[in-house]
Amino acid sequence: AACPPPARRVMVAARALLFWALVYSYCGVCACIAGLRLLWSIGRRPGETFRWVVRENPPACLNDPSLGTHCYVRIKDSGLRFHYVAAGERGKPLMLLLHGFPEFWYSWRHQLREFKSEYRVVALDLRGYGETDAPPHKENYKLDCLIADIKDILESLGYNKCVLIGHDWGGMIAWLVAICYPEVVTKLIVVNFPHPSVFTEYILRHPSQLIKSGYYFFFQMPWFPEFMFTLNDFKVLKSLFTSQATGIGRKGCRLTAEDIEAYLYVFSQPGALTGPINHYRTIFSCLPLQHHEVIMPTLLLWGERDAFMEVEMAEITRIYVKNHFRLTILSEASHWLQQDQPDIVNKLIWTFLKEETKRK
């Protein structure tokens, strides 16, 4: 192909420079805000600020036999060992569940119990999370690696297709798997994450969403985000699920003390936060997408009281799905939808799965 004219090259370079200036400038702003919060915490409670308790023994809920069996699989290409919890008989159709941040397989506990009657339900610990291997370098967490993980795991489990369900960051990965490997996804279900193209276009045009996604920029920094999570014995982690601003609402199925302890057990281990945050550290070099369309039946579930994602992106997602698309917005639900309203979410998923089976 012929080289673009000089004017076009200058314009492309200028746009790239402006984009990265925005990224690093906002990263600096987020770091300053985090630094001020750190100083405020030290001033108020200096003895408590740096307290960090490593939980040595998992709470009983993580070994609840009703949730399934803990399993491991090693991927040939990457050599990484993945941890997952599986429920339901082998040989049944596969339902693969991808969690968000800061979560792990346990966020799908309600779905593991619900769908094991008709599916082999597999709740995965994504690369870098929980008991799954965590490569040390951020380059190992590029989107193409994360997408390849899912396809390779599918094959390692002995399947060539699945019902794919993702929440939050797991929703981003689920969208990308459906775009890049449509032959392996029979039905796509995403919880509280828009089509990636919608997200990248919307965030640049709506400052309110840019602010809500500030953690994407803050996570570009080395080590400091992990450090901030550990303060006050992981106060940030606890408040994400329990506070009035970001947590599960009054009408939701609140996390029990044991549920919270399960999250603290996983993320309090030394180095346990670096892999999860590394997922975000290459995001700006991987987007926007070259291919956009999703061609399989798709269900998008959305908690309207999401503190991190504006609901307007849910409806815009429709234009990228070239098949049956169903959107359900739950007005009283939070970002943690499958934990917040598990009965309603499970019913909506069942309806979608059976409806599409009848259509075929």
Side-chain angles (χ1 to χ4, degrees):
C3 292
R8 178 173 174 77
R9 284 193 306 228
V10 170
M11 185 172 67
V12 169
R15 289 181 64 183
L17 180 63
L18 183 62
F19 173 77
W20 286 108
L22 171 65
V23 169
Y24 288 112
S25 296
Y26 196 31
C27 173
V29 170
C30 293
C32 290
I33 294 171
L36 290 173
R37 288 176 176 169
L38 172 60
L39 293 174
W40 174 258
S41 178
I42 294 173
R44 289 186 65 200
R45 297 179 178 177
E48 292 292 314
T49 297
F50 301 106
R51 189 169 67 91
W52 169 12
V53 178
V54 177
R55 278 73 180 173
E56 295 184 359
N57 299 308
C61 61
L62 293 183
N63 292 307
D64 183 348
S66 72
L67 296 178
T69 305
H70 289 261
C71 306
Y72 301 86
V73 62
R74 190 170 295 279
I75 304 304
K76 291 181 180 179
D77 289 344
S78 67
L80 298 179
R81 189 185 76 156
F82 282 77
H83 169 253
Y84 63 92
V85 172
E89 297 175 9
R90 297 178 186 273
K92 289 183 176 180
L94 179 64
M95 176 182 285
L96 187 58
L97 308 174
L98 310 180
H99 62 79
F101 174 88
E103 297 175 289
F104 63 114
W105 71 265
Y106 188 70
S107 68
W108 297 109
R109 58 196 176 280
H110 302 292
Q111 289 67 45
L112 282 162
R113 291 191 183 101
E114 178 69 22
F115 296 100
K116 65 183 179 181
S117 60
E118 294 189 22
Y119 288 88
R120 175 70 168 172
V121 188
V122 169
L124 191 67
D125 274 344
L126 295 175
R127 177 184 289 222
Y129 280 84
E131 294 185 59
T132 291
D133 286 348
H137 303 297
K138 69 178 184 179
E139 289 75 16
N140 296 123
Y141 295 86
K142 289 184 176 180
L143 287 175
D144 56 352
C145 297
L146 306 180
I147 298 166
D149 283 345
I150 306 308
K151 188 171 186 295
D152 292 342
I153 285 166
L154 205 66
E155 295 173 356
S156 298
L157 294 175
Y159 288 86
N160 55 22
K161 58 185 177 180
C162 69
V163 172
L164 186 59
I165 306 181
H167 168 249
D168 182 68
W169 183 259
M172 162 80 89
I173 297 173
W175 281 115
L176 295 175
V177 172
I179 291 166
C180 298
Y181 300 110
E183 70 278 3
V184 307
V185 182
T186 57
K187 302 175 182 69
L188 176 66
I189 301 170
V190 179
V191 184
N192 278 78
F193 200 94
H195 186 286
S197 293
V198 173
F199 181 65
T200 54
E201 293 164 7
Y202 189 92
I203 195 172
L204 293 174
R205 296 187 177 127
H206 297 81
S208 56
Q209 181 59 55
L210 191 68
I211 293 170
K212 289 180 179 180
S213 300
Y215 60 98
Y216 277 69
F217 299 85
F218 179 53
F219 287 171
Q220 302 309 304
M221 299 185 64
W223 72 264
F224 191 48
E226 290 94 322
F227 171 70
M228 289 298 294
F229 262 91
T230 67
L231 297 180
N232 296 288
D233 195 28
F234 297 87
K235 181 180 178 180
V236 170
L237 182 65
K238 298 171 193 172
S239 78
L240 281 173
F241 295 107
T242 61
S243 73
Q244 189 172 8
T246 64
I248 293 172
R250 289 177 299 172
K251 296 185 179 180
C253 184
R254 292 179 179 273
L255 272 62
T256 66
E258 191 176 35
D259 293 335
I260 295 294
E261 200 58 31
Y263 281 93
L264 292 174
Y265 168 75
V266 167
F267 290 106
S268 70
Q269 305 306 314
L273 282 160
T274 299
I277 292 176
N278 274 342
H279 279 247
Y280 294 87
R281 287 184 167 132
T282 61
I283 185 67
F284 293 110
S285 62
C286 298
L287 295 174
L289 303 176
Q290 292 183 338
H291 305 288
H292 305 276
E293 293 184 353
V294 173
I295 62 173
M296 69 287 300
T298 301
L299 171 66
L300 178 58
L301 301 176
W302 203 280
E304 190 172 19
R305 299 177 72 88
D306 191 329
F308 309 102
M309 294 283 170
E310 296 191 350
V311 69
E312 288 77 12
M313 291 188 286
E315 183 60 42
I316 303 172
T317 291
R318 185 183 302 274
I319 65 176
Y320 289 101
V321 180
K322 305 306 177 184
N323 202 314
H324 174 65
F325 176 76
R326 179 176 289 249
L327 168 64
T328 301
I329 299 172
L330 302 182
S331 60
E332 295 296 327
S334 70
H335 176 76
W336 320 104
L337 185 56
Q338 80 273 23
Q339 300 183 78
D340 184 332
Q341 304 283 349
D343 293 341
I344 297 174
V345 166
N346 292 346
K347 183 178 179 181
L348 291 168
I349 292 175
W350 273 128
T351 300
F352 176 73
L353 294 174
K354 293 181 182 297
E355 176 187 62
E356 290 307 315
T357 300
K358 289 178 182 178
R359 282 172 180 265
K360 289 186 177 181

